[in-house]
Amino acid sequence: MTPPNESTAGSAPNTSTQKRGGAAAHGAAAAGSAEVAPWWRSGVIGWTLDLFSSVKFGIWLLVLLFIYSSVGSAGIVYLDFDAGTWNIFNPENWAHDQIRQWRGLEMTEFEWFHWWPFDLMMILIAINIAVTTVRRIPFKPVNYGVWMIHTGILILIVGSFIYFGTKVEGDTPVARRRVVASYEEVAADGTKTMREVDFLASPGVRAVSGEGDDAVAFEVTTIDPDWELLTGDDKGKRAYSVTVAVTRGEKRYMRQLLVGYPQLTEDLIFTDDPQQPMKRSVKETGKPIFDETMAMRLDYEPQGHFYLRNELVKSWALYVRKPGEGAWVERPIEGLPLYNDYIGDRELVFQQPGDTLLPLDPLDVAVPATDPADPFPDVEFRVNGYLRYAEERSMFMEGPPTGPLNPYALLSVASDRGQREDYDLLARDPDRSVADGGVLRFATISDEAQFAQFMRQPSVVIRIPAKGIEIREEIRDVAAANPDAPFVEIKGTEEDGKAAYAYRVMNVRDNVPIGSASVSVAILEVRTPKGLFRRWVFSDPSLTRDVVQPDASDAHGAPKMQDDSIETLYEPGNGLALVMLVHGPGEERLRLISAIGPETSVFEVKEREAISLPAGITVGVKEFIPRAVLETRPIVVPREQRERDLMEMLSKALVSAPGSDARWIPFTRWVFEGPEYVLRRSPYSPRLLRLADGREVEVLFSRQRLPLRTDVALDEFVLTSHQGGFTGAMGTIRDYTSRVRFRDGGASGAWTEPVEVSVNAPIEHDGLWYFQAQWDPPEAAANERTRPSAGLNYTVLGVGNRNGVYTQLLGCVIAVAGMIYAFYVKPVIKRRRQEEVLAGLPRGDRRGSKEVTA
């Protein structure tokens, strides 16, 4: 830390001066030995000063700091004795781990470098530098450099304590717009009430206002962030477009809203024209607004909080509210871990086969009310378990011996081409007892007569008494699996060269539950002289009935017979299954019926035993549970399968309240007041707990949040791409920019002019820094119930403070200036002093001094 020879800086030594000064120094030493040392140089104080001015002590502190920092940042590498061999040259025998993440520590990197051992080392190093500088380095011009370096380091340490001691950092999601709808509701007695409802402008968001016949339903159907204006003075410009579907009694229409152009708001109305099911209201009614009593607009969706990052400091929180209320109340959770799993009973979770069993290490973390507005101030919640990375999974488990019979089988089917598939089958569930469109089936029986039924194909018996016709046909093909399945013409019914009666089988369903019993049904499409209709032919003839509309989903309540000239009867069989697993009679007996090949085969089946079938197919029962119970628990994902980028997104806390069973509460990244405010790809899973006194409480597991000093709103999100435009690949994006506004002066204050926040250009406002952290990319519809999104509907801003940065910067500037002084100015000073000394010596002594100096 100190340039060489700084503590001995002064006149250049030479032989003459050493000789002349020798006697004087000896005399001074002799005189000094008779003096009494000052009080502060003896005893404990003197020992302490000597210790803190010791260079060795400083070096040891730096060594300890290096080890501490290395362990906290990079972790440790050690020989894994569980690998089965001690070969130190095999990389697979070495393991890497982070000590700070071990049980008992559970510290983030920030917490590790803010822990008391680190703070203590930094304080001791600062004292060592200060004392050593004052006691060992004279304050002379030649030593100004090292004084500046040491002063800069001390200031840097002080600035770092300020920075890390007051550091807060998190993120805040800011939606681009919300939809505000207002209308007048007229009650039966003529009373008029103004209603207003608002919801997030995001594809698929739904909201309902009012109840019963007065209910009005809204849904955001599409959003185009780059809608081109086709009319008016601003033709050719682009705007943010939101389309909302409205259902209000018998009125159904869609309204398009444009940001910045409220005068261009218009409705699209539904028509009976199949060629053009929707038309512009202005073309149909002459007015752009179809429902003039409904006012709608787009407003900012301001954000007033930011959520603390758990990667910085563990900031878990529980949010509670009464069911039906909007505002959540925060309860900080102190002492909850972050990296490891904690359970008190292995029955609380599922684990994958082969995964290391979790240690039993329960938690008991109290979560009391801390906010005066808490709706349950008398209730103390407790966290009894924590999972870092787990997904909710439903699995069938063995039920009690006296429980109801509910056969479950995990059937494995493999081919000789390497294909393999597992199927979960539940014998008494009509939907879960079949797989692959009915090719696989699982059934349970109580007597052998039922088993004989499964040995044959299902059949339909058709009688036309007027023509003396009775036929019985096996069902081999159904339209549900083959939409092109042809009609089967009934011979002997020809009229004008064409069969007057024909049918085709749409589908067959066996063991359909009706009340406490079950029946089987074949759904036929029948053509007779009276027309085309669909007939549900039950195994119980008294239930058979016709449905006129081919698209009807249920026959109950329909006219019983459309054409009684044709009689039908369904004889159940194997349900068109190629492979059928049959349970019973008896609790443990399993048999396999195979219709693959020229003949039907029957095999006795044992659990985990494979059976070879024709065509290279192998079938086996991997698991069988006669009295199965469906249980839902978190399944712990093994560490090697976890994605680091998901952070705490799949974390879960086991929360209990007095009088209620403990429930796993999934982590929610941001807290929303309701589903109508949830951002896309943002889980929102509140859970309901019932207290001992009958009260109910909604609970969310999330992060602590702090208020922003001013509300922030998203005016526009701009995606800048490389040449060629955004293709969907992240590599085509050059920059993300959020144009935001701040509301100064409180909730009623005015919005500032837009300012840009991008990845490499953060901004500061009212003491907080904002930077671009995440964006809303385009997304296809996940299923038929969701809507696609063009993206750009919200942004996520990182938020943090930077206290002490200027102090740190000042320390760095002073230290760098000291280095420049020590390595460039100091040599000049020393050289000039040597020249001055040499200039004052006799000519003969100059030569000797030069030789000594050399």
Side-chain angles (χ1 to χ4, degrees):
M1 297 174 67
T2 304
N5 298 326
E6 285 194 346
S7 60
T8 60
S11 302
N14 59 69
T15 305
S16 300
T17 55
Q18 288 179 358
K19 291 180 178 179
R20 286 196 296 269
H26 178 74
S33 62
E35 296 178 359
V36 178
W39 63 269
W40 49 269
R41 298 187 61 180
S42 60
V44 176
I45 297 178
W47 179 86
T48 303
L49 290 174
D50 290 340
L51 175 66
F52 279 103
S53 60
S54 169
V55 176
K56 289 184 179 180
F57 180 65
I59 293 175
W60 275 110
L61 286 176
L62 292 176
V63 171
L64 289 175
L65 181 66
F66 173 77
I67 296 174
Y68 184 93
S69 301
S70 299
V71 170
S73 182
I76 60 171
V77 177
Y78 59 92
L79 190 62
D80 186 5
F81 297 105
D82 295 332
T85 175
W86 288 21
N87 182 4
I88 63 174
F89 299 104
N90 185 355
E92 295 182 357
N93 293 339
W94 291 89
H96 172 265
D97 213 345
Q98 287 282 6
I99 291 180
R100 59 181 173 81
Q101 296 181 3
W102 286 358
R103 295 175 184 272
L105 291 176
E106 292 281 358
M107 303 176 73
T108 66
E109 190 169 8
F110 181 90
E111 290 172 326
W112 178 265
F113 288 105
H114 199 53
W115 198 18
W116 68 264
F118 183 81
D119 292 343
L120 178 61
M121 282 188 288
M122 294 304 302
I123 292 173
L124 293 177
I125 289 173
I127 295 174
N128 178 256
I129 292 175
V131 174
T132 301
T133 303
V134 172
R135 295 192 70 193
R136 290 179 172 269
I137 305 176
F139 189 68
K140 298 179 181 180
V142 73
N143 294 329
Y144 287 169
V146 70
W147 273 74
M148 293 171 67
I149 294 172
H150 290 183
T151 301
I153 293 174
L154 293 176
I155 294 175
L156 179 61
I157 292 174
V158 171
S160 298
F161 269 96
I162 296 173
Y163 180 86
F164 291 104
T166 62
K167 180 66 175 176
V168 291
E169 187 173 311
D171 52 67
T172 181
V174 189
R176 192 160 177 174
R177 291 296 187 275
R178 64 187 172 109
V179 180
V180 181
S182 57
Y183 61 95
E184 189 175 70
E185 182 180 276
V186 182
D189 59 359
T191 305
K192 296 182 179 180
T193 305
M194 285 300 299
R195 284 188 174 273
E196 184 172 284
V197 58
D198 66 284
F199 47 92
L200 199 68
S202 180
V205 167
R206 297 178 176 89
V208 177
S209 175
E211 298 177 353
D213 295 337
D214 297 326
V216 181
F218 304 87
E219 181 186 3
V220 180
T221 57
T222 58
I223 293 181
D224 189 341
D226 198 31
W227 177 271
E228 183 179 0
L229 301 181
L230 302 177
T231 59
D233 297 336
D234 294 315
K235 182 179 180 180
K237 292 185 178 181
R238 304 269 176 179
Y240 185 73
S241 168
V242 179
T243 302
V244 181
V246 183
T247 302
R248 187 182 183 187
E250 296 182 356
K251 289 184 178 181
R252 292 180 63 241
Y253 58 94
M254 303 178 76
R255 180 164 295 181
Q256 184 184 35
L257 307 169
L258 299 174
V259 171
Y261 299 93
Q263 71 277 12
L264 298 181
T265 298
E266 69 171 336
D267 291 347
L268 301 172
I269 60 177
F270 293 89
T271 70
D272 296 328
D273 184 359
Q275 301 298 324
Q276 192 175 1
M278 298 199 69
K279 293 183 179 180
R280 296 174 62 190
S281 174
V282 68
K283 290 187 176 181
E284 289 293 303
T285 66
K287 298 179 180 180
I289 303 299
F290 173 67
D291 185 0
E292 295 182 342
T293 62
M294 174 70 69
M296 298 177 69
R297 68 182 188 274
L298 294 174
D299 276 357
Y300 289 124
E301 176 67 353
Q303 179 59 259
H305 295 86
F306 71 100
Y307 295 80
L308 299 178
R309 291 177 54 205
N310 276 321
E311 310 94 86
L312 197 69
V313 177
K314 294 187 291 294
S315 304
W316 300 111
L318 206 64
Y319 289 83
V320 300
R321 71 179 180 185
K322 293 181 179 179
E325 293 188 353
W328 293 92
V329 178
E330 176 187 314
R331 291 190 177 197
I333 307 176
E334 304 294 341
L336 193 66
L338 178 62
Y339 297 106
N340 297 286
D341 301 315
Y342 294 81
I343 57 172
D345 187 350
R346 292 196 179 94
E347 295 299 316
L348 293 170
V349 300
F350 294 131
Q351 286 194 256
Q352 293 187 11
D355 192 17
T356 305
L357 289 178
L358 294 180
L360 296 181
D361 190 3
L363 297 175
D364 188 19
V365 180
V367 190
T370 57
D371 192 324
D374 196 301
F376 303 94
D378 58 323
V379 179
E380 182 178 76
F381 295 90
R382 306 196 79 84
V383 179
N384 307 118
Y386 169 79
L387 298 176
R388 168 64 176 179
Y389 203 114
E391 298 176 307
E392 197 168 82
R393 183 76 57 83
S394 294
M395 297 179 66
F396 286 99
M397 309 295 293
E398 185 68 55
T402 58
L405 198 64
N406 187 30
Y408 160 80
L410 176 59
L411 198 67
S412 177
V413 180
S415 72
D416 55 3
R417 295 187 296 273
Q419 299 169 314
R420 179 179 294 275
E421 191 73 37
D422 291 342
Y423 301 89
D424 287 292
L425 300 175
L426 197 63
R428 295 196 167 181
D429 186 325
D431 294 323
R432 302 191 66 170
S433 63
V434 295
D436 274 356
V439 173
L440 298 178
R441 186 180 173 195
F442 183 30
T444 182
I445 60 175
S446 57
D447 58 64
E448 283 297 323
Q450 294 173 296
F451 185 80
Q453 167 190 317
F454 299 142
M455 294 291 293
R456 62 175 183 264
Q457 288 288 116
S459 302
V460 60
V461 177
I462 297 178
R463 302 187 186 96
I464 306 177
K467 294 183 177 293
I469 296 174
E470 180 176 341
I471 61 173
R472 181 181 178 276
E473 296 283 351
E474 289 188 349
I475 300 174
R476 297 284 181 177
D477 196 9
V478 294
N482 177 21
D484 297 326
F487 276 83
V488 178
E489 296 184 345
I490 301 176
K491 295 180 180 181
T493 64
E494 291 80 1
E495 294 180 5
D496 299 329
K498 182 179 180 181
Y501 290 80
Y503 75 96
R504 66 173 179 168
V505 182
M506 303 301 296
N507 205 350
V508 296
R509 295 288 301 274
D510 291 342
N511 300 319
V512 178
I514 297 181
S516 58
S518 63
V519 297
S520 299
V521 60
I523 304 173
L524 306 184
E525 198 168 42
V526 183
R527 188 177 70 223
T528 73
K530 292 186 178 182
L532 181 70
F533 55 90
R534 187 166 294 190
R535 174 169 292 183
W536 290 55
V537 186
F538 288 87
S539 54
D540 180 355
S542 64
L543 298 175
T544 298
R545 60 192 60 214
D546 291 345
V547 180
V548 178
Q549 297 295 333
D551 59 348
S553 60
D554 195 352
H556 301 297
K560 188 170 183 181
M561 283 297 171
Q562 175 72 13
D563 188 348
D564 57 6
S565 68
I566 181 170
E567 299 175 0
T568 50
L569 176 66
Y570 175 57
E571 296 179 350
N574 61 12
L576 297 181
L578 294 179
V579 176
M580 188 169 185
L581 184 66
V582 181
H583 165 257
E587 189 164 310
E588 299 295 334
R589 189 178 187 186
L590 286 175
R591 284 174 285 182
L592 189 75
I593 302 175
S594 171
I596 301 175
E599 296 182 358
T600 300
S601 305
V602 180
F603 303 89
E604 292 287 341
V605 179
K606 294 182 180 179
E607 192 173 356
R608 301 186 181 281
E609 182 179 271
I611 296 175
S612 297
L613 302 179
I617 296 176
T618 303
V619 179
V621 178
K622 298 177 69 174
E623 184 180 9
F624 170 66
I625 305 174
R627 301 181 186 274
V629 176
L630 185 64
E631 293 191 8
T632 300
R633 306 177 193 169
I635 182 168
V636 180
V637 179
R639 288 185 177 271
E640 60 272 12
Q641 298 179 16
R642 301 179 181 181
E643 295 183 27
R644 185 176 179 181
D645 292 342
L646 284 180
M647 300 179 291
E648 73 273 64
M649 293 301 296
L650 292 179
S651 298
K652 289 174 175 55
L654 186 64
V655 179
S656 64
S660 73
D661 295 331
R663 290 196 64 183
W664 286 109
I665 312 297
F667 175 77
T668 300
R669 187 177 183 187
W670 300 301
V671 177
F672 305 102
E673 291 188 359
E676 65 270 25
Y677 303 106
V678 176
L679 296 174
R680 205 171 179 95
R681 291 178 296 274
S682 301
Y684 175 72
S685 305
R687 294 292 190 266
L688 192 67
L689 298 180
R690 187 181 298 275
L691 306 179
D693 57 6
R695 289 180 296 170
E696 293 183 335
V697 52
E698 271 192 306
V699 180
L700 268 179
F701 175 47
S702 186
R703 301 174 289 167
Q704 297 176 32
R705 61 185 180 185
L706 295 177
L708 294 170
R709 293 167 186 173
T710 53
D711 289 349
V712 60
L714 178 63
D715 191 72
E716 185 181 5
F717 189 89
V718 179
L719 190 66
T720 306
S721 61
H722 292 287
Q723 188 173 1
F726 176 59
T727 63
M730 302 302 291
T732 61
I733 301 173
R734 192 174 67 195
D735 201 1
Y736 316 88
T737 303
S738 297
R739 291 177 180 165
V740 301
R741 295 175 183 262
F742 296 96
R743 182 155 55 190
D744 292 330
S748 61
W751 292 104
T752 65
E753 290 299 315
V755 291
E756 292 189 351
V757 183
S758 61
V759 175
N760 296 315
I763 62 169
E764 186 272 337
H765 186 84
D766 206 6
L768 290 176
W769 286 83
Y770 297 82
F771 55 92
Q772 186 65 46
Q774 189 180 330
W775 67 297
D776 174 30
E779 183 183 45
N783 51 59
E784 60 183 12
R785 293 176 298 176
T786 61
R787 295 188 179 274
S789 171
L792 312 186
N793 298 310
Y794 69 86
T795 186
V796 180
L797 300 177
V799 184
N801 61 5
R802 299 178 64 183
N803 300 334
V805 170
Y806 292 111
T807 305
Q808 293 174 314
L809 182 60
L810 176 62
C812 291
V813 170
I814 293 175
V816 170
M819 294 178 189
I820 295 174
Y821 188 97
F823 290 102
Y824 292 99
V825 178
K826 173 185 170 181
V828 175
I829 295 176
K830 292 182 68 175
R831 185 170 62 252
R832 288 181 178 177
R833 287 190 176 182
Q834 289 176 353
E835 291 174 353
E836 291 174 359
V837 171
L838 292 175
L841 294 177
R843 181 176 293 275
D845 290 342
R846 292 182 189 178
R847 183 176 180 181
S849 298
K850 291 180 180 181
E851 292 174 355
V852 171
T853 303

